[in-house]
Amino acid sequence: MRHLMSPLDFTVEELDKLFDLANDIENNMEKYSKKCEGKKLATCFYEPSTRTRLSFEAAMLNLGGSVIGFSDAGSSSASKGESVSDTIRVISCFADICAMRHHKEGAPMVAAEKSSIPVINAGDGGHQHPTQTLTDLLTIRSLKGRLGNFTIGLCGDLKFGRTVHSLINALIRYPNIHFIFISPQELRVPDYITEMLKEQNIPYEEVIRLEDIMPRLDFLYMTRVQRERFFNEEDYVRLKDFYILNKEKMALAKKDMLVLHPLPRVNEISVEVDDDPRAAYFKQVQYGVYVRMALILTLLGMENL
Ligand code: NCD
């Protein structure tokens, strides 16, 4: 039995197979509409989420399966003091696969150890968000036709943004990727990540101004300042509008650069950018459903059926 805790749980070859399956799903939805009949997905969300949870639910429903679960810790037995280990043992009796989001880093790993069904980490604190990374990689591969040989700018809250941490981890396995980290000093990417890049001789730059590096980017990955992970409101208010991507900044970019964002967006991308053909963040949401369908099939061992 397999779980998904980190994007690195799959080899590059396994990811390629997963993305091929996701693209086949994209082009032949009907073919997959009954694959998971009789199967249940449990969504155990201890932390708020709309798109990730609904994306998982839509994925399972598209496969003909059904969904049970809870969408905040208050409505689960966690509010009575139940541990994640106990919860997953119980859920294992009800469902065939579980997607878990938790505010505590590592909680889905603890659950996976005690689980008799596959567990998917749907985001653990500021740590990892592997299914968002699968979404990002599938979007890049589908829209650019390749994974590798590009310059990517990651902009915004690089300190607390788990999507960024997961994505960097996953991208370093592909050839010739140049990272440019764009953040205020206070929200720099954690040292453990820059240490890892140095150790592996992977080129990266850290800058504060977005305008200066716009012309060099093939991808710009924008992120929200993660209010819920700040220790005080004043710092959040000071930093929240540090970057706002608008038409003027887009005018500096390459004609075929793509803008990605895990969403939800707050102010960091002005709505006027939405109509720019280079804005790919809503397409990205759609790829998220295809890749979760492929993932559910793969973890249930049904990818070749
Ligand atoms: C992200 C998350 O939850 O980390 N959202 C998502 O899953 N699409 C990004 C965010 O909340 O900023």
Side-chain angles (χ1 to χ4, degrees), residues 45 47-53 101 122-125 128-129 131-132 160-164 221-226 228-229 261-266 268 285 292:
F45 276 61
E47 198 188 58
S49 153
T50 346
R51 73 214 66 247
T52 303
R53 185 170 53 82
R101 169 169 289 193
D124 62 324
Q128 296 266 350
H129 192 346
T131 60
Q132 181 63 47
F160 296 114
R162 57 190 169 198
T163 59
V164 167
Y221 195 91
M222 291 297 291
T223 62
R224 166 182 78 91
V225 176
Q226 306 273 304
E228 66 278 30
R229 306 205 199 282
H261 191 307
L263 305 180
R265 147 180 66 187
V266 188
E268 59 280 357
V285 177
R292 288 185 175 93

Side-chain angles (χ1 to χ4, degrees), residues 32-44 53-69 91 94-99 117 296 300 302:
Y32 293 88
S33 66
K34 293 193 168 74
K35 289 267 186 208
C36 282
E37 258 176 9
K39 301 276 181 205
K40 287 193 214 75
L41 164 77
T43 50
C44 299
R53 185 170 53 82
L54 294 185
S55 176
F56 268 112
E57 297 192 359
M60 192 49 152
L61 296 175
N62 287 344
L63 291 166
S66 41
V67 180
I68 56 171
I91 299 287
F94 302 152
D96 302 281
I97 184 163
C98 171
I117 58 173
I296 290 170
L300 289 175
M302 300 169 71

Side-chain angles (χ1 to χ4, degrees), residues 15-21 23 136-147:
L15 284 183
D16 267 335
K17 269 186 72 184
L18 186 84
F19 299 146
D20 288 342
L21 178 59
N23 286 140
D136 302 339
L137 296 179
L138 175 67
T139 307
I140 292 174
R141 199 185 89 144
S142 303
L143 299 181
K144 275 279 191 256
R146 63 174 194 276
L147 275 165

Side-chain angles (χ1 to χ4, degrees), residues 108-300:
M109 290 70 157
V110 173
E113 276 170 25
K114 292 286 188 281
S115 179
S116 52
I117 58 173
V119 178
I120 301 168
N121 176 3
D124 62 324
H127 187 217
Q128 296 266 350
H129 192 346
T131 60
Q132 181 63 47
T133 299
L134 299 183
T135 302
D136 302 339
L137 296 179
L138 175 67
T139 307
I140 292 174
R141 199 185 89 144
S142 303
L143 299 181
K144 275 279 191 256
R146 63 174 194 276
L147 275 165
N149 303 314
F150 56 74
T151 296
I152 183 167
L154 297 118
C155 177
D157 187 347
L158 309 186
K159 178 176 180 185
F160 296 114
R162 57 190 169 198
T163 59
V164 167
H165 306 159
S166 267
L167 183 59
I168 298 168
N169 255 308
L171 281 177
I172 59 174
R173 298 194 294 182
Y174 295 95
N176 208 9
I177 294 191
H178 186 84
F179 292 98
I180 306 185
F181 301 133
I182 310 134
S183 75
Q185 189 62 26
E186 295 89 332
L187 298 178
R188 281 184 53 225
V189 75
D191 288 342
Y192 80 88
I193 292 190
T194 46
E195 290 305 321
M196 173 187 75
L197 294 173
K198 277 184 211 144
E199 264 165 36
Q200 303 196 30
N201 282 324
I202 295 169
Y204 72 90
E205 292 165 59
E206 291 187 272
V207 301
I208 295 176
R209 272 171 58 86
L210 177 57
E211 292 84 336
D212 301 345
I213 49 82
M214 271 310 260
R216 292 168 51 204
L217 302 179
D218 298 305
F219 292 96
L220 173 60
Y221 195 91
M222 291 297 291
T223 62
R224 166 182 78 91
V225 176
Q226 306 273 304
R227 179 182 207 158
E228 66 278 30
R229 306 205 199 282
F230 270 69
F231 298 111
N232 71 68
E233 183 71 10
E234 272 159 51
D235 284 349
Y236 169 72
V237 170
R238 188 167 49 82
L239 295 168
K240 73 181 172 57
D241 293 328
F242 205 93
Y243 298 107
I244 299 181
L245 182 65
N246 55 17
K247 273 192 173 161
E248 287 74 55
K249 292 193 187 101
M250 286 298 284
L252 304 169
K254 290 184 188 168
K255 294 273 168 289
D256 63 348
M257 183 209 63
L258 291 175
V259 183
L260 303 175
H261 191 307
L263 305 180
R265 147 180 66 187
V266 188
N267 289 328
E268 59 280 357
I269 304 182
S270 159
V271 286
E272 66 189 23
V273 176
D274 296 357
D275 297 327
D276 190 304
R278 295 168 291 181
Y281 31 93
F282 291 116
K283 285 186 199 145
Q284 202 178 344
V285 177
Q286 187 62 63
Y287 282 116
V289 179
Y290 302 140
V291 90
R292 288 185 175 93
M293 290 172 73
L295 179 67
I296 290 170
L297 288 172
T298 304
L299 294 181
L300 289 175

